[in-house]
Amino acid sequence: MRYDVIVVGAGHAGCEAANAAAQMGTKVLLLTMNMETIAKMSCNPAMGGVAKGQIIREIDALGGMSGIITDKTMIQFRMLNRSKGLAMWSPRAQSDRWRFSEEWRLALEENQNVDFFQDSVDELIIEGSKVIGVKCSMGNTFYSKSVIVTAGTFLNGIIHIGRKQVGGGRMGEKASTGITAQLESLGFESGRMKTGTPPRIDGRSLNYDKMEEQKGDEEPFTFSYLKNIRNLQEQRSCHITYTNSEVHEILREGFEDSPMYNGSISGLGPRYCPSIEDKINRFAERDRHQIFVEPEGWKTIEVYVNGFSTSLPEEIQVKALRKIPGFEQAKIFRPGYAIEYDFFQPTQLRATLETKNIDNLYFAGQINGTTGYEEAAAQGLMAGINAALKVKEEEPLILGRDQAYIGVLIDDLISKGTEEPYRMFTSRAEYRISLRQDNADERLTPLGYKIGLAQENRMFELENTNKASKEIIELLLNTNISPEDAPLHLSSSLKEKQRANKILLRPEIQLQDLQTIKGLESINDYDTEAKLRAEIFIKYQTYLEREREQADKLKRLEYIQIPENFDYMKLGAMSMESREKLKKIKPATIGQAKQISGVSPSDISVLLIHFGR
């Protein structure tokens, strides 16, 4: 049977790719090595976080499914960065691992344009400079107009536990072979990367009285902008505990057997999610590290030990864990392990995620050197969209850095490449005040609707929210507040009547402080999204204008010269990672410095300030 799009792999990237292409009217085949592990959360059972939460909201705004699936399966919700102001808020949800996978599979099965087949792809069928299909390990051949490879950690994957090594893309699942060698023969540049996961624990064996409870938000949000998703009514708590010097000494005993230090692993691991052995080695001056104890679902007793990723021998893992407060009697379900796998430098891709070497072949997810469910899902979504658009002979969808974190992600990958697993941070985005979690629908839903992915109900919700937000803003602009009507904590500093919008500009004042005042009571009738959008518009309008001016200025200043022997180490406001890379590469201009992987827009701003520009 012939298809429009074949998606290889059914992880987070593969699911979003298949769903998007199918929703846009193309016929899709989703190939997976195991139908039981579709959208499996291989690492921690959570979605979102700083910058990552914004990505999930962007996926939802375009018409993707990750936000909806997360809302249906979350067991806890927290809005991070509340202390940094509304524009920096980032949603994060703890998910039920099994239900997340189940809901994704059910959603895909409901799509009549998606077919499934369980097999491993060993070879791409290339005709001239185009891909036209795939060959599977059981001898099956499938043809298509495009192929999206979302292989995750399965390409020549090797699992490490101490000195033990076993081929696999995930514990208990075999690796995928053949594709790397074929692509290398076609001129592709490949490399090796490494990631890891912590032990899983029997929650019944833990003493939670020795840990700090971390509850979810009292008023949880949802990821999806659709209003038919019910807010979480009940939540499960996470817990926090800490390692100590005794734990660290035990871990050091296993260093000589650690694949991280005995040369067994050649791939680079994620800098921002290091293994516990890497942390105690790199930060030897610290006598403790934070451990998050996270439930894996509503009913299961299995617990995820976030912060204790390791590939040390199993006996060392057990011995060290039992010295952590609350873990004295801990029983392990599965040991932690590292996994090493192949990736391809993303500089070999176009902005559509189509490869430059082979037409109609797309890469998405960890094959491009990224880490994280959210980054993978975003790439899968964009690859699926662009594969479908190309099949339909329509213009591609390419998001700019000023339009979405997804645009920043893809631009970073294809222009800078990566030397280590890429993770999204707010500091990577020049326009981060504009790219907020609350306004992703304003930025992207019209685009999603135009290409046929976002449905009409999303446009209806967007129009309603914008209308409500404008009504709130108008009310604030046209309502005067007198000292006698003001809240008690504000009345003493209010000497005369002032417009409500001017009062809201004060950092200590929130919209909820004003909506009980005479003339503003109707604000209570609006939903949370509308109120949040109005409040951010009032508070950040000036900053948004400045941000755009600063971005334009950065473009003009790219050709500023940097002295060859400039001492970057004296710039304390710049991250150590950036200082080290700038010192090593020695860029001649600001423009060259901007292209170095790991050097963020905020680091460039530090350089510009130093040079008086």
Side-chain angles (χ1 to χ4, degrees):
M1 186 172 178
R2 292 183 177 272
Y3 292 88
D4 294 315
V5 180
I6 291 176
V7 178
V8 180
H12 300 267
C15 287
E16 284 289 2
N19 178 73
Q23 290 286 7
M24 292 170 67
T26 61
K27 192 65 180 174
V28 177
L29 174 64
L30 181 58
L31 282 165
T32 174
M33 296 169 68
N34 188 348
M35 288 286 291
E36 307 307 315
T37 58
I38 289 174
K40 184 173 183 179
M41 303 181 102
S42 304
C43 205
N44 70 318
M47 293 290 278
V50 176
K52 291 169 175 280
Q54 282 87 331
I55 287 176
I56 296 299
R57 295 220 91 187
E58 289 176 354
I59 290 170
D60 182 76
L62 283 165
M65 288 295 296
S66 289
I68 291 173
I69 301 297
T70 302
D71 288 342
K72 287 184 175 181
T73 61
M74 69 170 71
I75 62 175
Q76 188 195 85
F77 180 91
R78 294 181 66 222
M79 187 66 80
L80 308 183
N81 270 352
R82 283 182 181 268
S83 63
K84 294 186 179 180
L86 293 165
M88 292 295 104
W89 286 13
S90 299
R92 182 184 188 274
Q94 202 71 25
S95 295
D96 185 311
R97 183 189 300 277
W98 293 272
R99 291 211 59 242
F100 186 93
S101 182
E102 177 189 37
E103 287 290 345
W104 246 122
R105 176 165 173 172
L106 292 174
L108 290 168
E109 287 183 358
E110 287 175 7
N111 194 319
Q112 297 299 312
N113 283 332
V114 178
D115 285 351
F116 304 84
F117 196 80
Q118 180 170 299
D119 203 350
S120 174
V121 174
D122 293 343
E123 184 183 346
L124 303 172
I125 304 173
I126 309 294
E127 189 176 82
S129 61
K130 293 183 179 180
V131 64
I132 61 168
V134 300
K135 292 181 180 178
C136 299
S137 62
M138 293 192 297
N140 296 290
T141 300
F142 300 97
Y143 293 93
S144 65
K145 297 175 182 177
S146 60
V147 174
I148 304 173
V149 180
T150 67
T153 59
F154 282 77
L155 289 181
N156 293 324
I158 298 177
I159 292 171
H160 299 263
I161 304 176
R163 293 189 179 274
K164 300 175 185 176
Q165 295 182 9
V166 60
R170 199 158 40 210
M171 185 63 79
E173 298 179 53
K174 68 177 184 177
S176 175
T177 59
I179 293 179
T180 297
Q182 181 188 12
L183 289 172
E184 287 175 340
S185 72
L186 294 169
F188 284 84
E189 176 193 352
S190 71
R192 295 287 277 176
M193 281 191 175
K194 168 257 174 190
T195 189
T197 192
R200 307 302 204 275
I201 307 297
D202 184 338
R204 298 171 301 183
S205 66
L206 301 181
N207 184 353
Y208 292 103
D209 291 337
K210 292 188 175 183
M211 306 178 199
E212 173 189 340
E213 185 178 13
Q214 186 182 56
K215 294 183 177 181
D217 290 351
E218 289 186 9
E219 296 182 11
F221 285 65
T222 57
F223 275 90
S224 180
Y225 289 94
L226 294 176
K227 297 294 187 278
N228 58 353
I229 306 293
R230 190 183 182 198
N231 292 70
L232 197 59
Q233 301 298 304
E234 179 187 354
Q235 301 188 61
R236 284 202 66 180
S237 292
C238 296
H239 289 79
I240 297 173
T241 184
Y242 296 87
T243 63
N244 51 53
S245 55
E246 191 174 7
V247 173
H248 299 175
E249 284 305 311
I250 293 171
L251 292 170
R252 289 190 183 97
E253 292 176 13
F255 273 19
E256 64 180 27
D257 293 319
S258 169
M260 292 281 295
Y261 298 104
N262 65 19
S264 299
I265 292 179
S266 59
L268 290 169
R271 174 187 293 260
Y272 303 100
C273 188
S275 64
I276 187 65
E277 54 263 42
D278 195 23
K279 282 193 282 192
I280 65 172
N281 186 50
R282 283 169 52 193
F283 308 106
E285 73 282 0
R286 296 188 187 177
D287 56 9
R288 71 174 193 170
H289 291 283
Q290 198 170 50
I291 300 294
F292 293 92
V293 184
E294 302 176 342
E296 299 242 338
W298 282 114
K299 297 179 180 179
T300 181
I301 59 172
E302 189 170 356
V303 166
Y304 183 89
V305 191
N306 197 342
F308 204 87
S309 175
T310 182
S311 57
L312 289 168
E314 186 175 346
E315 62 274 14
I316 294 292
Q317 294 184 34
V318 175
K319 186 177 178 183
L321 274 170
R322 288 179 177 167
K323 296 299 181 181
I324 296 174
F327 279 72
E328 292 83 359
Q329 305 299 320
K331 295 178 182 178
I332 291 184
F333 282 166
R334 288 177 283 168
Y337 61 88
I339 182 164
E340 196 177 13
Y341 56 94
D342 293 338
F343 82 104
F344 290 86
Q345 268 298 342
T347 50
Q348 300 167 102
L349 302 175
R350 299 186 175 98
T352 58
L353 298 181
E354 183 182 18
T355 67
K356 295 174 182 176
N357 286 10
I358 303 296
D359 291 341
N360 305 327
L361 176 63
Y362 297 78
F363 290 168
Q366 285 173 288
I367 192 173
N368 290 335
T370 60
T371 182
Y373 306 142
E374 302 83 1
E375 291 88 344
Q379 293 171 72
L381 178 76
M382 296 309 295
I385 287 172
N386 282 309
L389 289 172
K390 190 170 185 182
V391 166
K392 296 161 73 173
E393 299 182 351
E394 296 178 12
E395 288 296 310
L397 178 63
I398 298 171
L399 300 176
R401 299 181 71 93
D402 60 337
Q403 288 178 288
Y405 273 97
I406 296 174
V408 175
L409 165 67
I410 293 175
D411 184 62
D412 278 353
L413 291 173
I414 66 171
S415 63
K416 299 180 181 181
T418 187
E419 297 174 359
E420 59 194 33
Y422 178 102
R423 179 178 177 179
M424 180 53 71
F425 292 99
T426 53
S427 60
R428 296 190 189 273
E430 301 93 323
Y431 305 95
R432 54 188 172 274
I433 298 180
S434 301
L435 307 183
R436 307 184 308 273
Q437 63 85 26
D438 69 284
N439 72 343
D441 58 340
E442 278 189 290
R443 294 183 275 118
L444 300 175
T445 295
L447 291 175
Y449 180 68
K450 182 180 178 182
I451 63 173
L453 181 56
Q455 301 301 304
E456 192 171 3
N457 60 338
R458 287 187 176 275
M459 288 298 294
F460 177 76
E461 296 287 4
L462 171 60
E463 289 163 3
N464 281 347
T465 300
N466 283 341
K467 180 175 180 289
S469 176
K470 288 175 182 176
E471 289 174 357
I472 295 169
I473 292 168
E474 280 297 312
L475 190 61
L476 293 167
L477 290 172
N478 294 302
T479 302
N480 286 317
I481 298 177
S482 60
E484 55 269 24
D485 291 331
L488 187 62
H489 67 284
L490 178 62
S491 57
S492 59
S493 62
L494 195 63
K495 306 303 181 185
E496 58 185 6
K497 279 187 177 181
Q498 272 194 25
R499 295 281 184 192
N501 64 300
K502 296 295 183 184
I503 295 174
L504 188 57
L505 288 173
R506 300 187 183 190
E508 73 277 10
I509 300 299
Q510 282 84 46
L511 185 61
Q512 64 183 17
D513 297 321
L514 305 181
Q515 60 194 46
T516 57
I517 296 173
K518 182 180 179 181
L520 297 176
E521 303 97 332
S522 61
I523 293 175
N524 290 290
D525 299 332
Y526 293 95
D527 69 19
T528 303
E529 291 280 359
K531 289 191 283 189
L532 187 62
R533 190 162 299 175
E535 183 171 0
I536 290 174
F537 177 84
I538 296 291
K539 283 184 174 291
Y540 289 92
Q541 187 177 14
T542 303
Y543 296 100
L544 289 166
E545 292 170 358
R546 285 182 191 170
E547 184 179 70
R548 176 60 61 182
E549 290 172 5
Q550 176 68 10
D552 292 340
K553 185 179 180 181
L554 281 173
K555 291 177 183 177
R556 296 194 300 270
L557 296 175
E558 282 193 343
Y559 296 102
I560 291 176
Q561 299 290 311
I562 300 175
E564 184 177 355
N565 296 317
F566 182 74
D567 182 10
Y568 295 98
M569 291 299 162
K570 66 185 179 184
L571 300 180
M574 186 182 289
S575 70
M576 181 57 72
E577 175 192 3
S578 292
R579 283 181 278 172
E580 289 173 351
K581 289 188 173 182
L582 289 164
K583 181 180 178 181
K584 178 182 178 181
I585 297 172
K586 297 182 179 179
T589 65
I590 293 291
Q592 289 179 13
K594 285 177 68 177
Q595 296 305 312
I596 298 171
S597 177
V599 177
S600 71
S602 57
D603 295 326
I604 295 298
S605 295
V606 173
L607 276 176
L608 289 170
I609 290 168
H610 178 81
F611 290 119
R613 303 299 292 272

